[in-house]
Amino acid sequence: MRPVIPYVTAALLFGLGAYGVLRRRNAVLVLMSVELMLNAVNLILVTADTTVRAALPHSGQVFALFVIVLAAAEIGVGLAIVLQLYRLRADVSVDEVPLSEPSTTVDADVREAR
Amino acid sequence: MTGADVLLLALGAVAVGSGVLVVTTKHLVRAGLYLVVCLGALAGDYLVLTAELVAWVQVLIYVGAVVVLLLFAVMLTRAPIGASDDLDRPGWPAALIGGGVGLGLTALLVDAYRWTAVELPEAGTAERIGGEIFRSWVLPFEVLSVLLLSALVGAVVLSRPEIGRPAGGSRDTTRPGRTEVGR
């Protein structure tokens, strides 16, 4: 088994995820790109588990499982935020989120959107 | 080139190709479906790399749960049929940084491993991984359960309807979606 093949796959996937996070405006698509990056890290961990002889066997795979759990928690909280944002603003564009005076501006925008 | 190499190449090509489609497609729902293909190909990669348990957990949690949640979010926020034109920012910086990160990491890893071959270790079955978790990684495992609980509570708190409303306002805060649509 040539470990360079999955390593390069993971590196390219991570680059794609970084590109997607910076490029996409829709918050759900940004979350999908974050998932791509997390999966690239998982692939690195699993591949490293086969190439590096660690003191504890299968540590890389255990870490990959932990990262999967972290990703599940992240997606749950992230989607709660996205849905709340959609209810307040009727829009999920990440570059139009107001960063100051949340209560007054949101209220005005919601009234305006009606 | 052994059979494992060929499989890894093919699955890697599928994963990267569908990853490209995830970050470039104009259809919101299709992005989620391409993500399924990408994650499935990665699960195949894990199987070839003898990480059996990780592969099945990937299929169960990512393909089964995370993608379904994402598609739910797509349909709850906005589910246009057909292409959307406002999904992207104009972004040379994104291409520059994403390409730089991807190609930089590729160069680094290729330089580190060249075309060397390694023997695959014994398979990471559920028995072995479970023994490893409960022998060496018990504390992180328990901490993760606390983290999942706090994420659950956090998601519930974030989803309450009165967030973002002025305190003590005259608006009906119990069912804001219904009342606003009806007005």
Side-chain angles (χ1 to χ4, degrees), chain A residues 27-90:
Chain A
V28 181
L29 288 175
V30 171
L31 282 176
M32 287 186 195
S33 304
V34 172
E35 293 305 310
L36 277 186
M37 293 167 82
L38 284 167
N39 271 282
V41 172
N42 270 344
L43 186 54
I44 291 266
L45 284 172
V46 171
T47 314
D49 190 63
T50 66
T51 57
V52 180
R53 291 286 178 266
L56 292 171
H58 296 310
S59 300
Q61 296 182 21
V62 175
F63 269 54
L65 286 177
F66 286 171
V67 172
I68 289 177
V69 175
L70 283 174
E74 170 253 333
I75 209 77
V77 177
L79 287 182
I81 293 173
V82 168
L83 290 182
Q84 189 67 263
L85 182 68
Y86 181 73
R87 213 167 57 200
L88 291 176
R89 310 258 317 161

Side-chain angles (χ1 to χ4, degrees), chain B residues 20-117:
Chain B
V20 168
L21 288 170
V22 168
V23 296
T24 55
T25 181
K26 293 277 179 209
H27 298 69
L28 268 172
V29 180
R30 282 190 203 170
L33 298 179
Y34 286 132
L35 193 64
V36 170
V37 177
C38 183
L39 300 178
L42 280 177
D45 257 357
Y46 297 156
L47 272 184
V48 177
L49 292 169
T50 69
E52 289 175 19
L53 181 67
V54 181
W56 298 127
V57 168
Q58 164 102 354
V59 171
L60 271 177
I61 296 194
Y62 263 115
V63 182
V66 168
V67 171
V68 171
L69 265 181
L70 283 168
L71 287 178
F72 259 124
V74 166
M75 296 183 183
L76 282 175
T77 53
R78 200 179 43 169
I81 309 297
S84 320
D85 290 328
D86 59 342
L87 294 180
D88 285 346
R89 269 186 291 229
W92 280 110
L96 201 67
I97 293 177
V101 167
L103 295 181
L105 281 174
T106 303
L108 199 71
L109 290 167
V110 167
D111 182 56
Y113 282 91
R114 304 287 173 180
W115 194 243
T116 55

